[in-house]
Structure formats: C-alpha cells, structure tokens
Amino acid sequence: MNKLIELIAIALLVGASGSATAVDTIVNVPGTYSLGNCCAWSPLAVQFDAGSYIVTPVVKNSVPGAQFTAYNFGMGYGWSSAYAIALDPSHITDYGSAGPYAGSGYPDEATAFLHTAAGSFSLPQAGAVYFGVPDSIHGDNFGGVSLRVAPVPEPASILLLLAGLGVFFLRAQGRGGFRG
C-alpha cells in the first residue's frame, strides 16, 4: 500500500511538470523593428502555443540569449526600452494600445531599463505574436530590447503539483514526520 501511495505521488508530480510544455522564450527586438505611425510597420513575428504569457524585460547577457538592454533613438534623442506587443499586426493604432510604453529620451541604457514595464498577452490558439518598438523613424536607432516571455501555469498543473506534494507530506507524516 505504501508503494502505491508513493507511485501516485510521483505520478501527480510528473504530471504537473509535464503538463506545462511551454518554456520561457527570449525575444530580442532590435530597435529597427518599429511600430511607427509614419513609417512601415515592420514587426518581429514569433510563434507561440495557445495560452497566457507574461513578458518581462531583461538586461543584456543576464540570461542566455539576451542581446539588448535598451535602444537609442539616434540623433541625440536618448535611450528607451519601450516595446509593443500585437496579436494582429493590422490593428496597431497607437503605442498605448499596442503594449507598455515606458517613455523615451533617457540619458543611458540603465536608466531606460529601470523605466520598462512588464506586459502580458493571451493567445486562444497557437499563432504569431508581433513585437516592435514605438518609434516613428527607426532607421537611425541602434540597440534593442530583450524580453523574457514565460507561460502562465495552467490551474490544472498547479493543482496536480499541490496534490502530489500533499501526498508526499501525508506519507512523511505517516512515517513519523520529516527527519533531517
């Protein structure tokens, strides 16, 4: 009976970890991928599975694959780390509705990064998500923004994980508690 309980706990824990198949993705958005109103919309398209995602800016080289911290507008306009997310590239109307617009014109990369907001998006089915920077004239930009896109765990995965941990906890209590 004890072996059966241990097998059930292991199965629940493996099921919880296996049901979250999506992994974190680093998306590097060059400053030249603009959402500008006066210039051609040239987004960076990345494919994702259906689900909800959290987008967190990261500093260059702080995680494997992160290439940028911020981008410079060029011509003396300063640094920015603002980015935009769109599920449909034809529905970008302004920067505010496209995603977090953190501002612009900061004196350096570090200050620009400190003003970067996290974002999120949800996909009802697998498909492309479009990333860009809010600048109307992007040809003189250099640098970019690196974003960690992480799946939000599904409630079922969390419940399976808690159930597996609960069975392990009860099993340990039955053996006289935890021992160091």
Side-chain angles (χ1 to χ4, degrees):
M1 184 66 170
N2 291 339
K3 288 290 182 194
L4 178 61
I5 291 173
E6 288 177 9
L7 288 174
I8 291 171
I10 291 169
L12 289 171
L13 289 171
V14 169
S17 65
S19 63
T21 56
V23 296
D24 290 5
T25 301
I26 299 299
V27 176
N28 293 298
V29 185
T32 55
Y33 282 81
S34 179
L35 298 177
N37 290 334
C38 76
C39 303
W41 157 239
S42 56
L44 175 65
V46 181
Q47 296 291 320
F48 288 95
D49 291 332
S52 295
Y53 295 84
I54 296 173
V55 180
T56 309
V58 294
V59 174
K60 178 181 180 177
N61 298 327
S62 64
V63 295
Q67 298 174 358
F68 304 114
T69 299
Y71 56 93
N72 191 291
F73 285 116
M75 299 178 66
Y77 287 109
W79 291 87
S80 179
S81 56
Y83 62 95
I85 303 168
L87 302 182
D88 181 349
S90 65
H91 286 88
I92 300 296
T93 55
D94 60 54
Y95 305 138
S97 64
Y101 182 58
S104 60
Y106 296 106
D108 53 53
E109 285 182 286
T111 305
F113 181 80
L114 290 175
H115 291 88
T116 307
S120 64
F121 63 89
S122 293
L123 287 174
Q125 59 191 18
V129 176
Y130 303 90
F131 297 86
V133 299
D135 186 15
S136 57
I137 301 174
H138 58 274
D140 59 348
N141 291 354
F142 60 90
V145 179
S146 291
L147 307 168
R148 174 184 286 152
V149 181
V152 175
E154 298 174 17
S157 299
I158 295 169
L159 290 175
L160 279 173
L161 179 64
L162 291 175
L165 291 173
V167 170
F168 268 129
F169 178 75
L170 291 174
R171 182 74 183 112
Q173 291 291 6
R175 289 183 177 175
F178 295 101
R179 296 184 187 122

